[in-house]
Amino acid sequence: MVKFKVFVLCSLRFLEFILGDVLPDGRGETPLMGWRSWNLYHGNVNQKLMMSIMDAIVKRDKLVNGKPTSLCDVGYCDVGLDDNWQLCKNIGGKNSYHDAEGKPIVNLSRFPNLKSMNSHAHKLGLTSGWYGNNCLCKETG
C-alpha cells in the first residue's frame, strides 16, 4: 500500500509539472505536434522534398466541419528534418559531420540552402528545425 501511495504522489507531481508549463497564450495545452522526416523517409531526404512537405502541411484541401482545413490549422505546424542533412566524412579513420572547428557540415548537394528552407517554413507560418544527431554518420570520438 505504501508503494501505491508513493506512485500516486509521484504521478500527481509529474502531472503538476507537465500542466504547469501551459503558457498564457495556450501553448502547452496539447502535446508537441508536428511532422518529422525520419518517420516516413529515413535518410532519403533533400531540400526540395522538405519544402514540398511544408507546402502540403498548410494546404487546405480537406474539409473539417465543412471548412477547408490544413494540418497546421489543427495544430501540426512544426516540420523537422531528422537525419542525413549533414555531410559525413571519414577524417583520420573516424566518421564525422563536423569540420576542424567543430561546426556541422551541411550536405550541400541535398540541402543547398538551409536558411532558405527555414525561411520558406516561416513564411508559411510553420516552425522548422533539424535534429543534430549522428545516426547515419555514426560519428565517434
Side-chain angles (χ1 to χ4, degrees), residues 1-37:
M1 186 66 161
V2 172
K3 286 182 181 180
F4 178 73
K5 287 181 182 179
V6 169
F7 172 76
V8 170
L9 182 61
C10 289
S11 297
L12 289 174
R13 292 289 181 225
F14 181 69
L15 283 174
E16 243 179 6
F17 172 75
I18 292 172
L19 295 176
D21 287 344
V22 176
L23 299 176
D25 66 1
R27 286 182 293 160
E29 290 179 347
T30 61
L32 295 175
M33 296 170 21
W35 183 90
R36 304 297 300 187
S37 63

Side-chain angles (χ1 to χ4, degrees), residues 80-95:
L81 173 58
D82 282 317
D83 204 353
N84 217 16
W85 56 266
Q86 64 276 72
L87 182 62
C88 187
K89 293 184 173 188
N90 187 302
I91 300 172
K94 293 183 178 182
N95 289 334

Side-chain angles (χ1 to χ4, degrees), residues 56-117:
I57 285 176
V58 298
K59 187 174 181 184
R60 291 186 169 112
D61 61 344
K62 303 292 184 220
L63 294 179
V64 175
N65 295 327
K67 181 181 173 189
T69 305
S70 72
L71 284 171
C72 186
D73 291 331
V74 295
Y76 292 89
C77 298
D78 181 65
V79 178
L81 173 58
D82 282 317
D83 204 353
N84 217 16
W85 56 266
Q86 64 276 72
L87 182 62
C88 187
K89 293 184 173 188
N90 187 302
I91 300 172
K94 293 183 178 182
N95 289 334
S96 182
Y97 65 94
H98 291 91
D99 66 16
E101 297 174 1
K103 295 177 184 174
I105 305 168
V106 176
N107 185 334
L108 296 176
S109 66
R110 288 178 174 269
F111 295 92
N113 192 332
L114 280 177
K115 183 176 180 180
S116 170
M117 186 178 83

